[in-house]
Amino acid sequence: MHSAPSPITTSGADLTPETGGFGLYVHWPFCQSKCPYCDFNSHVRAEVDHGRWQAALTAEIAHFQAMTPGRTLDAIFFGGGTPSLMPPETVEAVINAARTGWRFSNAIEITLEANPGSVEADRFEGYAAAGVNRVSLGVQALNDDDLKFLGRMHSHAEALRALEIARATFARYSFDLIYARPGQSVDQWRRELETAIGLAGGHMSVYQLTIEQGTAFHGLHQRGAFQIPDEDTGAALYEATETILEAAGMPRYEISNHAAPGHECAHNLIYWRGGEWAGVGPGAHGRLIQSGARRTFAQTRTPEAWLTKVETTGHATTASDSLTAEDVAAEALMMGLRLTEGVDLTRFNRQTGGNLSDFVDRDGLQRLLDGGFIQHTPEHITATDAGHQRLNAVLEMLLAR
């Protein structure tokens, strides 16, 4: 057996492995254009009635506040879509609505996702004045050819300018990159990462390009319009990412996320540690404990249908179910094993009402231990580097009951 990694701490909220935390996710579903790799709930609309959307978002927040009175909010995350298309006034109204019915942690982290186009970047000061204290930029690539391939509407120069403004405006900022792009070699990726390190604000999200069904890239890839790197090259790119960013002081704390100590994303830690969050906006999902049971909440997906339903009933929850202990255990392992720190077993036992051996396949667990894919101590179960690269297979074996 190996000792477990030290728990992650964050300068944001009191997000210890024991508490999990409590957050608010706000989904803004609109984009200027649909990126060809994107399978998120995002939509292009010529016009948006911002007054109606502001009123509906704040109404749905009030609905969830009535279900969770007296809670302390650790994090707010504006995701999308492209939340940087929201007027700062709407962002401020949402933050004020959240403050009305919940207490704010003394160090609450409020993140807004943004595209680096000049129009959005010019709004950063307005978002900061509204209460946003962290911005996450969808840079994706650091050259114009790959930005064009990825369907991004910003240029390399605009990305650099947005990062400069973010650095001047916010104490904390992050940006995303996508690797395993067509024709990308390990040496090319190393050079791009070294450039990115000089631009980083303590956190980077680095995703391997995957071809998802229902996206424009899926059809193009099926027709042979482009090829992505093979599995061996993808693994080499992943390993180069780990090595370079760890040497730069931003080790991986989750499969696709790297941060300097104290710069981990507070809201995402709530997801991965099995905390609670309310999700508002089209297609948003939430997890809340109600009458002692952990419940799932899903909001109506289509923007117009969501808006009409909220205006009619005060919320647009389309599904709400109680999770069984087995469901909770599976979700805790699927999310927690993504983290370098793994699953805190004290929290796991409290959430499930049992212990690890009640929910996993014991033979599968032993095979994973013997193969060096997971580590297990009385305090934690963690995936090794080899396990993280094969996490779907690890989970399938662990949960094969």
Side-chain angles (χ1 to χ4, degrees):
M1 296 289 183
H2 301 269
S3 60
S6 300
I8 294 169
T9 58
T10 173
S11 59
D14 178 26
L15 297 176
T16 67
E18 287 74 32
T19 64
F22 179 61
L24 169 66
Y25 175 76
V26 181
H27 190 75
W28 183 258
F30 302 115
C31 288
Q32 288 181 307
S33 65
K34 184 79 171 179
C35 294
Y37 57 84
C38 178
D39 66 343
F40 295 162
N41 184 29
S42 59
H43 306 264
V44 178
R45 297 290 186 268
E47 294 184 4
V48 175
D49 187 331
H50 289 288
R52 290 180 68 193
W53 277 84
Q54 176 179 310
L57 287 169
T58 57
E60 197 160 66
I61 288 171
H63 168 74
F64 283 109
Q65 286 172 333
M67 299 168 59
T68 54
R71 299 300 300 273
T72 296
L73 199 62
D74 297 308
I76 301 174
F77 195 99
F78 290 87
T82 306
S84 54
L85 295 177
M86 301 173 74
E89 295 80 10
T90 298
V91 173
E92 183 175 23
V94 167
I95 293 171
N96 287 340
R99 185 184 285 111
T100 298
W102 290 311
R103 295 188 299 270
F104 275 19
S105 162
N106 290 334
I108 187 170
E109 182 178 278
I110 303 177
T111 298
L112 183 137
E113 291 184 332
N115 275 347
S118 58
V119 173
E120 293 91 340
D122 289 343
R123 298 185 178 192
F124 283 2
E125 289 186 6
Y127 296 137
V132 173
N133 55 24
R134 181 179 182 273
V135 68
S136 179
L137 288 159
V139 172
Q140 313 307 9
L142 292 176
N143 67 78
D144 286 332
D145 287 343
D146 282 348
L147 287 171
K148 183 177 180 180
F149 167 75
L150 292 169
R152 306 299 289 170
M153 297 186 69
H154 65 272
S155 66
H156 178 214
E158 286 176 316
L160 296 181
R161 175 60 177 158
L163 286 165
E164 180 182 338
I165 295 171
R167 185 183 299 111
T169 308
F170 301 98
R172 294 159 65 86
Y173 69 93
S174 176
F175 63 92
D176 299 353
L177 290 176
I178 294 174
Y179 69 95
R181 306 188 294 260
Q184 187 176 45
S185 70
V186 175
D187 284 343
Q188 289 172 330
W189 179 230
R190 286 180 182 276
R191 290 194 294 271
E192 187 167 356
L193 271 181
E194 287 163 1
T195 300
I197 288 165
L199 303 170
H203 189 288
M204 286 174 55
S205 298
V206 188
Y207 302 102
Q208 185 165 344
L209 179 62
T210 56
I211 308 301
E212 305 291 347
Q213 282 197 332
T215 65
F217 267 179
H218 185 261
L220 291 169
H221 188 259
Q222 291 286 92
R223 294 193 294 273
F226 67 89
Q227 296 297 321
I228 58 176
D230 61 27
E231 187 174 333
D232 288 343
T233 304
L237 291 164
Y238 177 89
E239 290 167 3
T241 304
E242 303 295 287
T243 301
I244 292 168
L245 291 180
E246 183 165 358
M250 288 190 291
R252 171 174 51 80
Y253 72 99
E254 189 270 344
I255 287 178
S256 301
N257 287 274
H258 295 252
H263 285 262
E264 299 85 2
C265 177
H267 187 79
N268 286 343
L269 284 178
I270 292 172
Y271 294 159
W272 296 321
R273 287 177 172 167
E276 296 175 80
W277 70 95
V280 303
H285 288 254
R287 296 288 187 276
L288 297 171
I289 295 174
Q290 298 285 291
S291 302
R294 187 170 175 87
R295 296 187 64 84
T296 66
F297 294 85
Q299 308 311 107
T300 300
R301 184 176 175 85
T302 306
E304 291 76 15
W306 176 88
L307 185 61
T308 299
K309 189 168 183 181
V310 174
E311 290 177 333
T312 303
T313 66
H315 69 93
T317 301
T318 188
S320 176
D321 298 295
S322 291
L323 295 176
T324 66
E326 289 75 15
D327 293 333
V328 173
E331 193 168 88
L333 290 168
M334 285 188 286
M335 300 300 282
L337 286 178
R338 297 180 65 89
L339 288 167
T340 302
E341 72 180 20
V343 177
D344 178 278
L345 293 177
T346 298
R347 185 187 65 230
F348 179 91
N349 295 348
R350 185 174 63 248
Q351 289 179 336
T352 62
N355 56 57
L356 187 66
S357 63
D358 296 325
F359 300 103
V360 301
D361 182 89
R362 297 186 187 191
D363 290 338
L365 174 62
Q366 191 59 54
R367 289 198 299 274
L368 291 167
L369 288 167
D370 294 342
F373 298 109
I374 62 171
Q375 299 169 357
H376 184 204
T377 72
E379 294 81 24
H380 290 85
I381 179 170
T382 62
T384 63
D385 287 344
H388 275 135
Q389 291 194 50
R390 304 162 179 84
L391 191 56
N392 287 341
V394 167
L395 289 166
E396 185 176 346
M397 186 175 292
L398 200 59
L399 296 170
R401 289 168 58 88

